[in-house]
Every structure is written in C-alpha cells, then in structure tokens.
Amino acid sequence: MARMAWAMIRDALAEDITTGALKAGAQVPTAPQLVARFPAGQHSVRKAVEALAREGKLSIEQGAAHSWRPRRASPMPLAS
C-alpha cells in the first residue's frame, strides 16, 4: 500500500527538524512553499503540520497567517 502524502511530508519535515535544517524558533516554509516542494495539496501539508504539532515537534501560532515553528528544546531540570 502506498504511503499517504501527508505522512511523507510529516517525515520529511521531522527529518529537517532533527538534522537542524529547520532551526528551533525559525519559521517553517509556508503552505504554498511546501506544496511546491512536495507533490501534494494544501490539505496534506496542513495535516502533516498538525501531526507534527500533536507530536510536540512544531508549535502552531494563530495570527494573520499560520506560523509553524520547530519547538525549542526545553531545558533539563537541575538535579538537586
């Protein structure tokens, strides 16, 4: 069975985050830019971004436009 387009996009963006191609706090490419990069529609792009947000890898900020940013690593608590 073929993989779903949104899953391929999610995996590619997750790899970009892991490798540092998308830096923490930097804005992820816009939906139209991601549609141009991947052979998929905006619905698949949104579904991939929402999946990454649910996994805690991206934060989605509402505003004039969606702002999708890789989450910053939380500081490790100090041992007492």
Side-chain angles (χ1 to χ4, degrees):
M1 179 181 261
R3 285 188 64 207
M4 302 299 289
W6 71 268
M8 289 186 285
I9 297 167
R10 179 201 59 210
D11 293 347
L13 291 175
E15 184 174 338
D16 287 350
I17 293 167
T18 301
T19 63
L22 289 175
K23 305 284 185 203
Q27 189 164 345
V28 174
T30 64
Q33 291 169 328
L34 292 172
V35 167
R37 177 178 169 189
F38 300 101
Q42 285 195 11
H43 176 75
S44 294
V45 167
R46 280 192 297 274
K47 190 169 180 176
V49 168
E50 289 167 358
L52 288 168
R54 281 192 307 277
E55 295 169 10
K57 294 179 180 166
L58 288 180
S59 62
I60 300 175
E61 301 167 6
Q62 298 290 335
H66 284 298
S67 180
W68 307 327
R69 299 179 184 276
R71 288 192 182 265
R72 298 177 193 267
S74 299
M76 296 293 293
L78 298 174
S80 43

Coordinates of all heavy atoms in Angstrom, one line a residue:
M1 N 0.8 -1.2 0.0 CA 0.0 0.0 0.0 C 0.9 1.2 0.0 O 1.9 1.3 0.7 CB -0.9 0.0 1.2 CG -1.8 1.2 1.4 SD -2.8 1.1 2.8 CE -4.3 0.6 2.1
A2 N 0.5 2.2 -0.8 CA 1.3 3.5 -0.9 C 1.1 4.3 0.4 O 0.1 4.3 1.0 CB 0.8 4.3 -2.1
R3 N 2.2 5.0 0.7 CA 2.2 5.8 1.9 C 1.3 7.1 1.6 O 1.3 7.6 0.5 CB 3.6 6.3 2.3 CG 4.3 5.2 3.0 CD 5.6 5.6 3.5 NE 5.4 6.6 4.6 CZ 6.3 7.5 4.9 NH1 7.5 7.6 4.3 NH2 6.1 8.4 5.9
M4 N 0.7 7.6 2.6 CA -0.1 8.8 2.4 C 0.8 10.0 2.2 O 1.9 10.1 2.9 CB -1.0 9.0 3.6 CG -2.0 7.8 3.9 SD -3.1 7.5 2.6 CE -4.2 8.9 2.8
A5 N 0.4 10.9 1.4 CA 1.2 12.1 1.1 C 1.5 12.9 2.4 O 2.6 13.3 2.6 CB 0.5 13.0 0.1
W6 N 0.5 13.0 3.3 CA 0.8 13.8 4.5 C 1.8 13.2 5.4 O 2.6 13.8 6.0 CB -0.5 14.1 5.3 CG -1.1 12.8 5.9 CD1 -2.0 12.0 5.4 CD2 -0.8 12.4 7.2 NE1 -2.3 11.0 6.3 CE2 -1.5 11.2 7.4 CE3 0.1 12.8 8.2 CZ2 -1.4 10.4 8.6 CZ3 0.2 12.0 9.4 CH2 -0.6 10.9 9.6
A7 N 1.9 11.8 5.4 CA 2.8 11.1 6.2 C 4.3 11.3 5.7 O 5.2 11.5 6.4 CB 2.5 9.6 6.3
M8 N 4.4 11.3 4.3 CA 5.7 11.6 3.7 C 6.2 13.0 4.0 O 7.3 13.2 4.3 CB 5.6 11.4 2.2 CG 5.5 9.9 1.9 SD 5.6 9.6 0.1 CE 4.0 10.2 -0.4
I9 N 5.2 14.0 4.0 CA 5.6 15.4 4.3 C 6.0 15.5 5.8 O 7.0 16.1 6.1 CB 4.4 16.3 4.0 CG1 4.1 16.3 2.5 CG2 4.7 17.7 4.5 CD1 2.8 16.9 2.1
R10 N 5.2 14.8 6.7 CA 5.5 14.8 8.1 C 6.9 14.3 8.3 O 7.7 14.9 9.1 CB 4.5 14.0 8.9 CG 4.7 14.0 10.4 CD 4.1 12.8 11.1 NE 4.6 11.6 10.4 CZ 3.9 10.4 10.4 NH1 2.6 10.4 10.8 NH2 4.3 9.4 9.8
D11 N 7.2 13.2 7.7 CA 8.5 12.5 7.9 C 9.6 13.4 7.4 O 10.7 13.5 8.1 CB 8.5 11.2 7.3 CG 7.6 10.2 8.0 OD1 7.1 10.4 9.1 OD2 7.4 9.1 7.4
A12 N 9.4 14.0 6.3 CA 10.5 14.9 5.7 C 10.7 16.1 6.6 O 11.9 16.5 6.8 CB 10.1 15.3 4.3
L13 N 9.6 16.7 7.1 CA 9.8 17.9 8.0 C 10.4 17.5 9.3 O 11.2 18.2 9.9 CB 8.4 18.6 8.2 CG 7.9 19.3 6.9 CD1 6.5 19.8 7.2 CD2 8.8 20.4 6.5
A14 N 10.0 16.3 9.8 CA 10.6 15.8 11.1 C 12.1 15.6 10.9 O 12.9 16.0 11.8 CB 9.9 14.6 11.5
E15 N 12.5 15.1 9.7 CA 13.9 14.9 9.5 C 14.6 16.3 9.4 O 15.7 16.5 9.9 CB 14.1 14.1 8.2 CG 15.6 13.9 7.9 CD 15.8 13.0 6.7 OE1 14.9 12.2 6.4 OE2 16.9 13.0 6.2
D16 N 14.0 17.3 8.7 CA 14.5 18.6 8.7 C 14.7 19.2 10.1 O 15.7 19.9 10.3 CB 13.6 19.6 7.9 CG 13.6 19.3 6.4 OD1 14.5 18.5 5.9 OD2 12.8 19.8 5.7
I17 N 13.8 19.0 11.0 CA 13.9 19.4 12.3 C 15.1 18.7 13.0 O 15.9 19.3 13.7 CB 12.6 19.3 13.1 CG1 11.5 20.2 12.5 CG2 12.8 19.5 14.6 CD1 10.1 19.9 13.0
T18 N 15.1 17.4 12.9 CA 16.2 16.6 13.6 C 17.6 16.9 13.1 O 18.5 17.0 13.9 CB 15.9 15.1 13.3 OG1 14.6 14.8 13.8 CG2 16.9 14.2 14.0
T19 N 17.7 17.2 11.8 CA 19.0 17.5 11.2 C 19.5 18.9 11.4 O 20.6 19.3 11.2 CB 19.1 17.1 9.8 OG1 18.2 17.9 9.0 CG2 18.8 15.6 9.5
G20 N 18.5 19.8 11.8 CA 18.8 21.2 12.0 C 18.6 22.0 10.8 O 18.9 23.2 10.8
A21 N 18.1 21.4 9.7 CA 17.8 22.2 8.5 C 16.7 23.2 8.8 O 16.6 24.3 8.3 CB 17.3 21.2 7.4
L22 N 15.8 22.8 9.8 CA 14.8 23.8 10.3 C 15.2 24.0 11.8 O 15.2 23.1 12.6 CB 13.4 23.2 10.3 CG 12.7 23.1 8.9 CD1 11.4 22.4 9.1 CD2 12.5 24.5 8.3
K23 N 15.7 25.2 12.0 CA 16.2 25.6 13.4 C 15.0 25.9 14.3 O 14.0 26.4 13.9 CB 17.1 26.8 13.3 CG 18.3 26.7 12.4 CD 19.3 25.8 12.9 CE 20.5 25.8 12.0 NZ 21.4 24.7 12.1
A24 N 15.2 25.6 15.6 CA 14.2 25.9 16.6 C 13.9 27.3 16.6 O 14.8 28.2 16.6 CB 14.7 25.4 18.0
G25 N 12.7 27.7 16.6 CA 12.2 29.1 16.6 C 12.1 29.7 15.2 O 11.5 30.8 15.1
A26 N 12.7 29.1 14.2 CA 12.6 29.6 12.8 C 11.3 29.3 12.2 O 10.7 28.3 12.6 CB 13.8 29.0 12.0
Q27 N 10.8 30.1 11.3 CA 9.5 29.8 10.7 C 9.7 28.7 9.7 O 10.6 28.7 8.9 CB 9.0 31.0 10.1 CG 7.5 30.8 9.6 CD 6.8 32.1 9.3 OE1 7.3 33.2 9.8 NE2 5.7 32.1 8.7
V28 N 8.8 27.8 9.7 CA 8.7 26.7 8.7 C 8.2 27.3 7.4 O 7.4 28.3 7.4 CB 7.8 25.6 9.2 CG1 7.5 24.5 8.2 CG2 8.3 25.0 10.5
P29 N 8.6 26.8 6.2 CA 8.1 27.3 5.0 C 6.5 27.4 5.0 O 5.9 26.5 5.6 CB 8.6 26.3 3.9 CG 9.8 25.8 4.6 CD 9.6 25.7 6.0
T30 N 6.0 28.3 4.2 CA 4.6 28.4 4.2 C 3.9 27.3 3.5 O 4.6 26.5 2.8 CB 4.2 29.7 3.4 OG1 4.7 29.6 2.0 CG2 4.8 31.0 4.0
A31 N 2.6 27.1 3.6 CA 1.9 26.0 2.9 C 2.1 26.1 1.4 O 2.4 25.0 0.8 CB 0.4 26.1 3.2
P32 N 2.0 27.2 0.7 CA 2.3 27.2 -0.7 C 3.8 26.8 -1.0 O 4.0 26.1 -2.0 CB 2.1 28.6 -1.1 CG 1.1 29.2 -0.1 CD 1.5 28.5 1.2
Q33 N 4.7 27.1 -0.2 CA 6.1 26.7 -0.4 C 6.2 25.2 -0.2 O 6.9 24.5 -1.0 CB 7.1 27.4 0.5 CG 7.2 28.9 0.2 CD 7.9 29.7 1.3 OE1 7.8 29.3 2.5 NE2 8.7 30.7 0.9
L34 N 5.5 24.6 0.8 CA 5.6 23.2 1.0 C 4.9 22.4 -0.1 O 5.3 21.4 -0.5 CB 5.0 22.8 2.4 CG 5.8 23.3 3.6 CD1 5.1 23.1 4.9 CD2 7.2 22.6 3.6
V35 N 3.8 23.0 -0.6 CA 3.1 22.4 -1.8 C 4.0 22.3 -3.0 O 4.0 21.4 -3.7 CB 1.8 23.1 -2.1 CG1 1.2 22.7 -3.4 CG2 0.7 22.9 -1.0
A36 N 4.8 23.4 -3.2 CA 5.7 23.4 -4.3 C 6.9 22.4 -4.1 O 7.4 21.8 -5.0 CB 6.3 24.8 -4.4
R37 N 7.2 22.1 -2.8 CA 8.3 21.2 -2.5 C 7.8 19.7 -2.6 O 8.6 18.9 -3.1 CB 8.8 21.4 -1.1 CG 9.9 20.5 -0.7 CD 10.4 20.8 0.7 NE 11.2 19.7 1.2 CZ 11.7 19.7 2.5 NH1 11.4 20.6 3.3 NH2 12.4 18.6 2.9
F38 N 6.6 19.5 -2.2 CA 6.1 18.1 -2.2 C 5.0 17.9 -3.2 O 4.2 18.9 -3.4 CB 5.6 17.8 -0.8 CG 6.6 17.9 0.3 CD1 6.7 18.9 1.1 CD2 7.5 16.8 0.5 CE1 7.6 19.0 2.1 CE2 8.5 16.9 1.5 CZ 8.5 18.0 2.3
P39 N 4.8 16.8 -3.8 CA 3.7 16.5 -4.7 C 2.4 16.3 -4.0 O 1.9 15.1 -4.0 CB 4.2 15.3 -5.5 CG 5.1 14.6 -4.6 CD 5.7 15.6 -3.7
A40 N 1.9 17.3 -3.3 CA 0.7 17.1 -2.5 C 0.0 18.5 -2.5 O 0.5 19.5 -2.8 CB 1.1 16.7 -1.1
G41 N -1.3 18.4 -2.0 CA -2.1 19.6 -1.9 C -2.0 20.2 -0.5 O -1.3 19.7 0.4
Q42 N -2.6 21.4 -0.3 CA -2.5 22.1 0.9 C -3.1 21.3 2.1 O -2.7 21.4 3.2 CB -3.2 23.5 0.8 CG -2.3 24.5 0.0 CD -2.7 25.9 0.2 OE1 -3.6 26.2 1.1 NE2 -2.2 26.8 -0.6
H43 N -4.2 20.5 1.8 CA -4.8 19.7 2.8 C -3.7 18.8 3.4 O -3.6 18.6 4.7 CB -6.0 19.0 2.3 CG -6.6 18.0 3.3 ND1 -7.4 18.5 4.4 CD2 -6.5 16.7 3.5 CE1 -7.7 17.5 5.1 NE2 -7.2 16.4 4.6
S44 N -3.0 18.1 2.6 CA -1.9 17.2 3.1 C -0.9 17.9 3.9 O -0.4 17.4 4.9 CB -1.3 16.4 1.9 OG -2.3 15.6 1.3
V45 N -0.5 19.1 3.4 CA 0.5 19.9 4.1 C 0.0 20.3 5.5 O 0.7 20.1 6.5 CB 0.9 21.2 3.3 CG1 1.6 22.2 4.2 CG2 1.7 20.8 2.1
R46 N -1.3 20.7 5.6 CA -1.8 21.1 6.9 C -1.9 19.9 7.8 O -1.6 20.0 9.0 CB -3.2 21.7 6.7 CG -3.2 23.2 6.3 CD -4.6 23.8 6.4 NE -5.5 23.2 5.5 CZ -5.7 23.6 4.3 NH1 -5.0 24.6 3.8 NH2 -6.6 23.0 3.5
K47 N -2.3 18.7 7.3 CA -2.4 17.5 8.1 C -1.1 17.1 8.6 O -0.9 16.7 9.8 CB -3.0 16.4 7.2 CG -3.4 15.2 8.1 CD -4.2 14.2 7.2 CE -4.6 13.0 8.1 NZ -5.4 12.1 7.4
A48 N 0.0 17.2 7.8 CA 1.3 16.9 8.2 C 1.8 17.8 9.3 O 2.4 17.4 10.4 CB 2.3 17.0 7.0
V49 N 1.5 19.1 9.2 CA 2.0 20.1 10.2 C 1.2 19.9 11.5 O 1.8 19.9 12.6 CB 1.8 21.6 9.6 CG1 1.9 22.6 10.7 CG2 2.8 21.8 8.5
E50 N -0.1 19.6 11.4 CA -0.9 19.3 12.6 C -0.4 18.1 13.3 O -0.4 18.0 14.5 CB -2.4 19.2 12.2 CG -3.0 20.6 11.8 CD -4.3 20.5 11.2 OE1 -4.8 19.3 11.0 OE2 -4.9 21.5 10.9
A51 N 0.0 17.1 12.5 CA 0.5 15.9 13.1 C 1.8 16.2 13.9 O 2.0 15.7 15.0 CB 0.8 14.8 12.1
L52 N 2.7 17.0 13.3 CA 4.0 17.3 14.0 C 3.7 18.2 15.2 O 4.4 18.0 16.2 CB 4.9 18.1 13.0 CG 5.5 17.3 11.9 CD1 6.1 18.2 10.9 CD2 6.5 16.3 12.5
A53 N 2.6 19.0 15.2 CA 2.3 19.8 16.4 C 1.8 18.8 17.5 O 2.2 19.0 18.7 CB 1.2 20.8 16.0
R54 N 1.0 17.8 17.1 CA 0.5 16.9 18.1 C 1.6 16.1 18.7 O 1.6 15.7 19.9 CB -0.5 15.9 17.5 CG -1.9 16.5 17.4 CD -3.0 15.4 17.0 NE -2.6 14.6 15.9 CZ -2.8 14.9 14.6 NH1 -3.4 16.1 14.3 NH2 -2.4 14.1 13.6
E55 N 2.7 15.8 17.9 CA 3.8 15.1 18.4 C 4.8 16.0 19.2 O 5.8 15.5 19.7 CB 4.6 14.5 17.2 CG 3.8 13.4 16.4 CD 4.4 13.0 15.1 OE1 5.6 13.4 14.8 OE2 3.7 12.3 14.3
G56 N 4.5 17.3 19.3 CA 5.3 18.2 20.0 C 6.6 18.7 19.3 O 7.5 19.2 19.9
K57 N 6.6 18.5 18.0 CA 7.8 18.9 17.2 C 7.7 20.3 16.6 O 8.6 20.9 16.3 CB 8.1 17.9 16.1 CG 8.5 16.5 16.7 CD 8.7 15.5 15.6 CE 9.1 14.2 16.2 NZ 9.0 13.1 15.3
L58 N 6.4 20.8 16.5 CA 6.2 22.1 16.0 C 5.1 22.8 16.9 O 4.3 22.1 17.5 CB 5.5 22.1 14.6 CG 6.3 21.6 13.4 CD1 5.5 21.7 12.1 CD2 7.5 22.6 13.2
S59 N 5.2 24.1 16.9 CA 4.1 24.9 17.5 C 3.4 25.6 16.4 O 4.0 26.1 15.5 CB 4.6 25.8 18.6 OG 5.5 26.8 18.0
I60 N 2.1 25.7 16.5 CA 1.3 26.5 15.5 C 0.8 27.7 16.2 O 0.1 27.6 17.3 CB 0.1 25.6 15.0 CG1 0.7 24.4 14.3 CG2 -0.7 26.4 14.0 CD1 -0.4 23.4 13.9
E61 N 1.1 28.9 15.7 CA 0.6 30.1 16.2 C -0.4 30.8 15.3 O -0.1 30.9 14.1 CB 1.8 31.1 16.4 CG 2.9 30.5 17.3 CD 4.2 31.2 17.3 OE1 4.3 32.3 16.6 OE2 5.2 30.7 17.9
Q62 N -1.5 31.1 15.8 CA -2.6 31.8 15.0 C -2.2 33.2 14.9 O -1.7 33.8 15.8 CB -3.9 31.6 15.7 CG -4.4 30.1 15.8 CD -4.7 29.5 14.4 OE1 -5.1 30.2 13.5 NE2 -4.6 28.2 14.4
G63 N -2.5 33.8 13.8 CA -2.3 35.2 13.6 C -2.8 35.6 12.2 O -3.8 35.0 11.7
A64 N -2.2 36.6 11.6 CA -2.5 36.9 10.2 C -2.4 35.7 9.3 O -3.1 35.6 8.4 CB -1.7 38.1 9.8
A65 N -1.4 34.9 9.6 CA -1.2 33.7 8.9 C -0.7 32.7 9.9 O -0.2 33.0 10.9 CB -0.2 33.9 7.8
H66 N -0.8 31.4 9.6 CA -0.2 30.4 10.5 C 1.3 30.6 10.5 O 1.9 30.8 9.5 CB -0.5 29.0 10.0 CG -1.9 28.5 10.2 ND1 -2.5 28.4 11.4 CD2 -2.9 28.2 9.3 CE1 -3.7 28.0 11.3 NE2 -4.0 27.9 10.0
S67 N 1.8 30.4 11.7 CA 3.2 30.4 11.9 C 3.6 29.1 12.5 O 3.1 28.7 13.6 CB 3.7 31.6 12.8 OG 5.0 31.6 13.0
W68 N 4.3 28.3 11.8 CA 4.7 27.0 12.2 C 6.2 27.0 12.5 O 7.0 27.3 11.7 CB 4.5 26.0 11.1 CG 3.1 26.0 10.5 CD1 1.9 26.2 11.2 CD2 2.7 25.7 9.2 NE1 0.9 26.1 10.4 CE2 1.3 25.8 9.1 CE3 3.4 25.3 8.1 CZ2 0.6 25.6 7.9 CZ3 2.7 25.1 6.9 CH2 1.4 25.2 6.8
R69 N 6.5 26.7 13.8 CA 7.9 26.8 14.2 C 8.3 25.5 14.9 O 7.6 25.0 15.7 CB 8.1 28.0 15.1 CG 7.8 29.3 14.5 CD 7.9 30.5 15.5 NE 7.5 31.7 14.9 CZ 8.2 32.5 14.1 NH1 9.5 32.1 13.8 NH2 7.8 33.6 13.6
P70 N 9.5 25.0 14.6 CA 10.0 23.9 15.4 C 10.1 24.3 16.9 O 10.5 25.5 17.2 CB 11.4 23.7 14.8 CG 11.4 24.2 13.5 CD 10.5 25.4 13.6
R71 N 9.7 23.5 17.7 CA 9.7 23.8 19.2 C 11.2 23.9 19.6 O 12.0 23.1 19.2 CB 9.0 22.7 20.0 CG 7.5 22.7 19.8 CD 6.9 21.8 20.8 NE 5.5 21.8 20.7 CZ 4.6 22.5 21.4 NH1 5.1 23.4 22.2 NH2 3.3 22.4 21.2
R72 N 11.4 24.8 20.6 CA 12.7 24.9 21.2 C 12.8 23.8 22.2 O 11.8 23.4 22.9 CB 12.8 26.2 21.9 CG 12.8 27.4 21.0 CD 12.8 28.7 21.7 NE 12.5 29.8 20.9 CZ 13.3 30.5 20.2 NH1 14.6 30.3 20.3 NH2 12.9 31.5 19.5
A73 N 14.0 23.3 22.4 CA 14.2 22.2 23.4 C 14.0 22.8 24.8 O 14.4 23.9 25.1 CB 15.6 21.6 23.3
S74 N 13.2 22.1 25.6 CA 13.0 22.5 27.0 C 14.3 22.3 27.8 O 15.0 21.2 27.6 CB 11.9 21.7 27.6 OG 10.7 21.9 26.9
P75 N 14.7 23.2 28.6 CA 15.9 23.0 29.4 C 15.7 21.8 30.4 O 14.6 21.6 30.9 CB 16.1 24.3 30.2 CG 14.8 25.0 30.1 CD 14.0 24.5 28.9
M76 N 16.7 21.1 30.6 CA 16.7 19.9 31.5 C 16.6 20.5 32.9 O 17.3 21.4 33.3 CB 17.9 19.1 31.3 CG 18.0 18.4 30.0 SD 16.8 17.2 29.7 CE 17.2 16.0 30.9
P77 N 15.8 19.9 33.8 CA 15.7 20.4 35.2 C 17.1 20.0 35.9 O 17.7 19.0 35.6 CB 14.6 19.6 35.8 CG 14.3 18.5 34.8 CD 14.9 18.9 33.5
L78 N 17.5 20.9 36.8 CA 18.7 20.7 37.5 C 18.4 19.6 38.6 O 17.4 19.7 39.2 CB 19.2 22.0 38.1 CG 19.6 23.1 37.1 CD1 19.9 24.3 37.9 CD2 20.7 22.6 36.3
A79 N 19.4 18.7 38.7 CA 19.3 17.7 39.8 C 19.6 18.4 41.1 O 20.4 19.3 41.3 CB 20.3 16.6 39.6
S80 N 18.8 18.0 42.2 CA 19.0 18.7 43.5 C 19.9 17.8 44.3 O 20.3 16.8 44.1 CB 17.7 18.9 44.2 OG 16.8 17.9 44.1

